[in-house]
Amino acid sequence: MSWKTRKEKGVLQFAWVLLLALFATGCANQELLNAQPQMVENNTAELKASETDNPHFYYVGFAADSTLSVFSNEIMLAKGLFDERFGSEGRSVVMLNSSQTMDNIPMATPENLNATLEDVAQKMDLEQDVLVLYISGHGGYNKGVKVNFWPHHSSWVKPENLRQELDALGFKWKVIVVSACFSGQFANQLNDIDTMVITASSPDRPSFGCTSSDTYTYFGDAYFNNQLPQSLSFEEAYFAAKEEITLKENQMGYPNSLPMLVGGKAIRDKLDSMFIQP
């Protein structure tokens, strides 16, 4: 074999190694990323508009992380509950970071969240309807919720940015639920008299149940799977779920996550008037 032939063979082998490395490390699907605005529009186009003198819940779900199915699972669990029990069928949308759904459901990105909220606001009666926003994922201390669908995108949903977006779009009545470590930071930022914020943990505590063996997080399972379907109010479900979570954490030897609920009298009265008894 000549030196030139050996060199050419080496170049060819290097090219194959490089190609295999690209497959191994992954690369973003730019075509799919470019399609996101249209996917969001399609996702919200058929939402039912509000009805005069008949307030409704509008549900928006956001599964922030693709590495575990637990986040998408509980976003869909809550959607089913609100559609069936609280009348949001036809008024609910989700964004999921999942390889199983990325061809037909918008990815969970901050941009898609903002665009979805804008579309939902146009369908709602902002003075009488209630926005229910549920975000589930991994949290970072004083950082918000990590948004991750590698290799396509990576960013954060930060509570201060979410507050600005919700205020700018004119939502009045809101229930914001965040299931993530350190999620109490959202309660501190989003709390007002017309907003109820429920979080899986306090600002300085982790929450649990986000492993490959879990179907739902501890919080998602306790609140949306076990308590809210049978409770007489959102608050009653929260306190029962908090007790259930604390007991489970104690049994596992974990530090208590200390879930939070904050909200003014106005939103509590509003939710009581709309709550559908089991």
Side-chain angles (χ1 to χ4, degrees):
M1 181 182 292
S2 68
W3 176 87
K4 184 177 180 180
T5 303
R6 290 197 301 271
K7 182 177 180 180
E8 289 174 343
K9 185 178 181 181
V11 170
L12 182 60
Q13 289 175 333
F14 176 77
W16 274 107
V17 170
L18 181 61
L19 183 60
L20 290 172
L22 287 173
F23 277 113
T25 58
C27 56
N29 186 332
Q30 191 60 49
E31 182 178 353
L32 187 60
L33 292 175
N34 292 341
Q36 292 304 298
Q38 186 61 53
M39 292 182 71
V40 169
E41 184 176 333
N42 294 343
N43 201 35
T44 58
E46 300 302 319
L47 284 176
K48 295 178 181 178
S50 182
E51 299 172 353
T52 304
D53 298 326
N54 187 18
H56 291 282
F57 289 104
Y58 281 76
Y59 173 87
V60 176
F62 187 91
D65 193 277
S66 68
T67 59
L68 296 167
S69 61
V70 64
F71 304 120
S72 294
N73 288 347
E74 61 188 36
I75 290 299
M76 296 306 296
L77 170 70
K79 179 183 182 300
L81 175 62
F82 271 87
D83 284 356
E84 181 177 345
R85 184 175 177 193
F86 298 105
S88 68
E89 186 173 4
R91 296 182 173 88
S92 59
V93 293
V94 299
M95 291 149 281
L96 309 175
N97 280 336
S98 170
S99 59
Q100 304 299 313
T101 62
M102 65 182 185
D103 291 329
N104 50 53
I105 294 177
M107 295 179 182
T109 69
E111 295 78 13
N112 282 356
L113 177 58
N114 291 346
T116 297
L117 289 173
E118 182 175 352
D119 290 348
V120 170
Q122 293 175 2
K123 298 283 187 174
M124 290 176 62
D125 181 331
L126 296 175
E127 289 298 315
Q128 72 166 357
D129 294 328
V130 178
L131 171 69
V132 178
L133 172 60
Y134 183 27
I135 299 174
S136 181
H138 291 300
Y141 182 72
N142 284 338
K143 291 183 178 180
V145 172
K146 180 68 174 177
V147 179
N148 178 55
F149 191 178
W150 189 89
H152 305 293
H153 62 83
S154 179
S155 56
W156 293 87
V157 171
K158 299 182 178 181
E160 60 271 23
N161 294 343
L162 180 59
R163 175 66 182 261
Q164 291 173 1
E165 184 69 16
L166 293 171
D167 288 349
L169 292 172
F171 291 104
K172 180 178 182 180
W173 306 109
K174 303 175 290 294
V175 177
I176 313 297
V177 185
V178 185
S179 178
C181 292
F182 315 113
S183 49
Q185 60 191 292
F186 284 84
N188 293 340
Q189 287 279 349
L190 298 171
N191 182 29
D192 64 42
I193 62 171
D194 298 327
T195 304
M196 178 175 287
V197 187
I198 302 172
T199 66
S201 65
S202 65
D204 59 350
R205 294 292 184 99
S207 54
F208 301 97
C210 47
T211 72
S212 59
S213 63
D214 293 304
T215 302
Y216 310 119
T217 64
Y218 284 12
F219 173 84
D221 189 38
Y223 191 72
F224 288 108
N225 195 37
N226 297 336
Q227 301 304 331
L228 190 56
Q230 62 182 357
S231 296
L232 300 177
S233 71
F234 288 97
E235 285 185 87
E236 180 185 280
Y238 160 77
F239 286 112
K242 184 175 182 178
E243 182 177 351
E244 177 183 331
I245 293 165
T246 300
L247 177 61
K248 189 171 185 178
E249 290 168 341
N250 290 342
Q251 291 173 340
M252 297 297 294
Y254 296 157
N256 294 139
S257 53
L258 304 180
M260 294 179 63
L261 181 150
V262 296
K265 184 178 184 301
I267 184 62
R268 295 168 192 257
D269 291 345
K270 175 71 172 180
L271 293 176
D272 286 345
S273 72
M274 293 178 63
F275 201 87
I276 300 173
Q277 304 303 321

